[in-house]
Amino acid sequence: MPSFSRIRAIAEKEVFHILRDSRTLVIIFLMPLLQLIIFGYAMNMEIRQVPLLVDDLAMNSSSRALVDAFVNTDYFQLVPKEAGTLQPDELFRERRAQASLSIPKDFGASEHRVLLRIDASDPNSAQMIQNYALGIVNSTGIQTDAGIDLRAQILYNPDLKSSFFFVPGLIALILVMVCALLTSISISREKEMGTMEQILVSPVSATEILFGKVIPYLVLGLLDALIILAVGMLLFQVPFRGDFSVFLLFTFLYVLTSLCLGLLVSTVAKTQQAAMMMALGMTLLPTLLLSGYMFPISSMPVILQKLTYIIPASYYLQIIRGIMLKGNNIAQLYQAGLSLLGMSVLMLIVAARRFKLRLS
Amino acid sequence: MIHTSHLVKQFGSFKAVDEINLEIGRGEIFGFLGANGAGKTTTIRMLCGLLKPSSGEIRIDNLDIIKHSEQIKHKLGYMSQKFSLYPDLKAIENLQFYAGIYRVSFEPALKRLEPILEQFGLSSILKTLTQDLPMGYKQRLSLVAALMHDPPLVFLDEPTSGVDPQARREFWQVINDLAQSGKTIIVSTHFMDEAEYCHRVIIMQDGREVALGNPAELKQEYGSANMQELFLKVLGVSDAKL
Ligand SMILES: Nc1ncnc2c1ncn2[C@@H]1O[C@H](COP(=O)(O)OP(=O)(O)OP(=O)(O)O)[C@@H](O)[C@H]1O
Ligand SMILES: [Mg+2]
């Protein structure tokens, strides 16, 4: 039976380390903020200021209204006039324009068709540019003949803001990395410094050591989640439509899972450096690639889809996107939550069994 | 108190400890002597349950160390060769931690250890961060930490390395007092003069016992004037590197 007082002794000592060791504080606070800002701006896939070449042969009030409608958004900017002598194809090749809008001579009178040509060398951007353009054209009330049904309905993120997707994803990514690092480093550091030897000689059990290590970092991990959430919302204007207590509850489970992953790493890694490499290796790429963060799980090959079941972030992404974007409640998320809880318990048991109470 | 028979520790094909048989009684100060790599630390680690013997038997208070490890762990205090208190904890916080993991109340334990704290001059530095203490103080603090739960059996692996002679003498004074109070002390050292403080010593070489007995009797047996000379004679070298 684990002794509460021993767990408390270990946890208290851990708190002193956290408060006095600047490296831990860096991992906990600085690293997440830097990641959020760097990843955040690097992965921002929103379309802004697309260079648009306008070829206006009508030059009447209707055509000017249409061009203004494009320019007045943040999405498009006009390619300067002098470039207009070049052919659109050339401008596309030189990357000076990403879209061109041709307005025929009698636009607004006998003619209602405009031609929008889009550089689709980046199909994702092209898709978004098309959606934006159609949206703009639509809102001016002018008929188009682009041959595309304009009534594409985009839920939850009507502006197709990519920040809505990457900020929740970043919370998932950063949390799992930081938490796995914290516990794995904390234990491997004791092995490296030799202080673990003093603990092992005492009657402390593996379970007590693991609990003592997890509890303080559970609080820290939650604190970290709040900071990332707040900064993410401030910097990238992501909404939070769900209930805050639901967020806390499920984030608690995710932090626990991530910390337990770190414990598992520490049963293998003998040095801090090995622990760091393993913790990052087990979290960074799998989370980026297999959680549904970058690629939708439904479009993965079946084998990879199966693999996503063991990636904690794949559950948390459902949870955090559900809470922030859709306002999901507990009933809609409990399955993902139970999966996280199950993973935590499993990893804790495996870690406790693997944890060696002797030197090797 | 401690009984070992045919104790062997093998790392791969290398025998770090080879057929060590010991019988150590209560209240005894028992010393491990030997050059670097002789197997002192490895033996001590096996005796306190940190390493599993490759073969042979260890019994402490007549309990098998593997089968009754939980029970035995309560009885022993250990100060490892490498300084291993937490540098970023205050001295008193380190002591609190050891009291905590042995589940003893801190205040009474501190009260009980007050004479030693005074003797060591530690009372006034309890609020200091451990990393800011001089080496001598760190080692004394390690000893006190190992005594928090009042263990009848204390293992000290080179407790006085890197400490000046005056501090070493004080350290040994405390060790002597502890033995006098009935504790069994197992100590390893590189300093031959310290061997004189031991009731009995084992001299090890390449994991094996080369001499075992009371320092005075050993000196007589080998016709050596002092421990240093005895040591060199026993090891069969003229210029042993210690
Ligand atoms: N975990 C290990 N794996 C492999 N070899 C080891 C291990 N631990 C110790 N050894 C080897 O066993 C031998 C005995 O080491 P040990 O630490 O017991 O010596 P020692 O007498 O304590 O030496 P010192 O005076 O330097 O502390 C050495 O050759 C050492 O390299
Ligand atoms: Mg040694």
Side-chain angles (χ1 to χ4, degrees), chain A residues 6 17 20 190 197 359, chain B residues 50 78 86 88 93 101:
Chain A
R6 284 203 198 114
H17 293 324
R20 292 183 190 151
E190 296 222 29
E197 198 170 324
L359 304 171
Chain B
L50 278 171
Y78 171 62
Y86 298 97
D88 52 342
E93 290 163 350
I101 59 174

Side-chain angles (χ1 to χ4, degrees), chain A residues 360, chain B residues 11 14 16-17 34-43 45 81 157-158 190:
Chain A
S360 52
Chain B
F11 295 113
F14 170 71
V17 174
N36 285 321
K40 307 181 292 292
T41 297
T42 308
T43 309
R45 281 178 170 166
Q81 178 170 356
D157 196 355
E158 296 196 22
H190 272 177

Side-chain angles (χ1 to χ4, degrees), chain A residues 202-347:
Chain A
S202 80
V204 172
S205 72
T207 317
E208 287 159 350
I209 297 175
L210 297 182
F211 271 110
K213 290 282 182 182
V214 157
I215 290 169
Y217 291 114
L218 209 47
V219 177
L220 267 187
L222 265 184
L223 201 65
D224 221 15
L226 293 181
I227 293 175
I228 304 169
L229 177 71
V231 175
M233 286 172 68
L234 274 176
L235 283 185
F236 302 104
Q237 280 86 45
V238 184
F240 191 95
R241 302 198 171 109
D243 200 66
F244 188 65
S245 55
V246 179
F247 169 80
L248 278 185
L249 173 69
F250 284 92
T251 302
F252 174 86
L253 289 176
Y254 183 57
V255 167
L256 179 66
T257 315
S258 311
L259 293 172
C260 289
L261 185 65
L263 292 182
L264 213 51
V265 165
S266 73
T267 62
V268 184
K270 287 203 170 67
T271 62
Q272 289 186 71
Q273 192 159 20
M276 213 180 291
M277 303 297 270
M278 286 174 69
L280 286 180
M282 288 177 75
T283 53
L284 180 59
L285 282 182
T287 303
L288 274 178
L289 303 177
L290 292 174
S291 68
Y293 177 29
M294 299 241 279
F295 310 111
I297 294 177
S298 55
S299 60
M300 290 176 189
V302 180
I303 287 195
L304 290 187
Q305 285 193 17
K306 294 256 177 338
L307 214 53
T308 63
Y309 286 120
I310 59 164
I311 308 290
S314 66
Y315 301 101
Y316 189 64
L317 262 180
Q318 285 175 31
I319 292 170
I320 184 84
R321 282 179 178 162
I323 294 174
M324 291 181 71
L325 305 179
K326 303 183 202 171
N328 277 175
N329 55 34
I330 292 190
Q332 290 157 320
L333 299 172
Y334 80 95
Q335 275 183 323
L338 284 181
S339 303
L340 288 179
L341 187 62
M343 285 178 98
S344 307
V345 172
L346 192 71
M347 285 194 284

Side-chain angles (χ1 to χ4, degrees), chain B residues 39-184:
Chain B
K40 307 181 292 292
T41 297
T42 308
T43 309
I44 289 178
R45 281 178 170 166
M46 284 193 284
L47 293 180
C48 59
L50 278 171
L51 278 176
K52 200 174 168 186
S54 305
S55 65
E57 187 194 37
I58 301 175
R59 300 179 75 81
I60 291 186
D61 265 355
N62 240 338
L63 297 170
D64 183 89
I65 195 155
I66 303 295
K67 289 198 198 99
H68 300 94
S69 66
E70 180 76 8
Q71 228 174 315
I72 290 173
K73 279 176 166 182
H74 285 280
K75 300 184 186 202
L76 52 91
Y78 171 62
M79 178 178 160
S80 74
Q81 178 170 356
K82 188 174 169 201
F83 174 74
S84 46
L85 295 181
Y86 298 97
D88 52 342
L89 260 58
K90 292 176 186 163
I92 195 168
E93 290 163 350
N94 267 305
L95 297 181
Q96 258 161 343
F97 173 67
Y98 281 95
I101 59 174
Y102 282 96
R103 302 186 68 184
V104 298
S105 314
F106 179 63
E107 296 300 334
L110 203 62
K111 190 132 200 99
R112 178 173 47 78
L113 291 170
E114 213 169 80
I116 298 184
L117 286 172
E118 283 300 329
Q119 209 171 336
F120 273 163
L122 287 173
S123 303
S124 55
I125 54 90
L126 285 178
K127 296 265 161 63
T128 311
L129 275 187
T130 306
Q131 62 197 10
D132 297 334
L133 295 174
M135 195 57 198
Y137 280 84
K138 285 183 184 169
Q139 269 161 322
R140 295 177 216 171
L141 187 65
S142 297
L143 175 61
V144 176
L147 296 173
M148 285 310 282
H149 57 297
D150 204 8
L153 183 55
V154 184
F155 293 92
L156 309 171
D157 196 355
E158 296 196 22
T160 53
S161 59
V163 176
D164 64 84
Q166 171 62 27
R168 273 166 50 202
R169 266 193 296 280
E170 283 166 18
F171 202 93
W172 274 96
Q173 185 58 51
V174 170
I175 291 178
N176 234 327
D177 294 348
L178 288 171
Q180 218 114 84
S181 74
K183 292 191 194 303
T184 309

